[in-house]
Structures are given as C-alpha cells and as structure tokens.
Amino acid sequence: MLSPAVLALGATALSASGCVWYLPAAADLCAGADRPTSRRLAAAACLTAWATIALSAPLLLAAASWTTLGAVTAFGTAAALLLATLARARRGHEEHATRRAWAALRLRPPARRRSPWSRPTRAFLCWFLPGYAVAAGAVAVALVGVMAGR
C-alpha cells in the first residue's frame, strides 16, 4: 500500500523531470509578442499541465482529501486541454493567413516543415499512451488500496 508521502515524492520527481518541457515553454511565454499566439497558448497549456502535477505533491503531503486532490487534478487537466485546443485552432488560423499572404504576393511559399505527426512522433505516442494508461491504472489501484485501508 502506497502512502501519500510516497505518492508526493513520485509527483515531485515527475515534475522535476518535466523541466525539458516546461522551461522552454516558460521561455516562449517570456518572449511575449516575439512568438506567435498559438505557440504561447501551447506553452501555457504545457505549464498548466506541469503545474497541476507539481501542485499535487503539497496537497498529498498536507493530507488533503482525495476529493480535493481529484478536483484540482481534473480542473488543471481540463484547463490544459482547453489551452491546447485553443492553440491548435489558432495555429490553423495562422497557417491559413500565411498561405493567403503568400498567394497575394504571387510567390511560392517556402518549403513546409515536417509534419507534427511524423514517424518519430507517432512511434513515441504509440509507446507513451499505453504506458501512461497502465501507469494511471496502477495509481488508481493503489489509491483504491489506500482508501480501503482507512
């Protein structure tokens, strides 16, 4: 049976290891208008997700109720998903405006960058998503065990 302190330690280690994602996201937000709006929204989504994980550690250590922990996690996840969705929609608008600008100039646009759904990305997601689901299931089983022990 996992104690809340062990779960808090895991959340702390996970949030510390996420610095490869949230530090560049923080830099994008600090750059302000130098970055496109879609990129800043995506950075805000990234920071929201990692802040939600980081916030769970003190809540676990403070012996907050599981309802409170679940509500904070659900709210943070929903906010991050909303920001990510807005970022994707805004990126589509920005790409459309860029295509219109190139068409107005009657010039050929520069070569497109690689698709975000390139082969390495798909391979990563094929391994990450099932692993994430298994980890979430293990945490759920551990939480049920902790709650049953009370």
Side-chain angles (χ1 to χ4, degrees):
M1 179 163 44
L2 293 174
S3 71
V6 173
L7 293 174
L9 180 62
T12 303
L14 181 65
S15 62
S17 68
C19 66
V20 296
W21 286 286
Y22 62 74
L23 289 179
D28 281 345
L29 283 179
C30 287
D34 288 345
R35 301 287 192 275
T37 304
S38 63
R39 191 161 169 180
R40 287 181 284 155
L41 283 169
C46 177
L47 288 173
T48 302
W50 285 105
T52 301
I53 294 170
L55 182 60
S56 67
L59 288 175
L60 285 164
L61 288 176
S65 70
W66 293 108
T67 307
T68 303
L69 184 63
V72 168
T73 304
F75 180 76
T77 303
L81 287 173
L82 176 65
L83 286 169
T85 303
L86 290 173
R88 181 63 189 129
R90 181 67 187 164
R91 182 174 172 202
H93 291 295
E94 291 168 355
E95 288 175 352
H96 182 68
T98 301
R99 283 193 303 272
R100 277 188 290 139
W102 280 103
L105 292 173
R106 297 184 182 173
L107 295 172
R108 190 177 69 191
R112 289 188 59 155
R113 295 186 320 181
R114 279 185 4 183
S115 165
W117 295 105
S118 63
R119 186 168 184 250
T121 302
R122 286 191 312 267
F124 171 75
L125 288 176
C126 285
W127 285 100
F128 173 74
L129 291 177
Y132 189 73
V134 168
V139 167
V141 168
L143 289 177
V144 168
V146 168
M147 293 178 71
R150 283 189 173 190

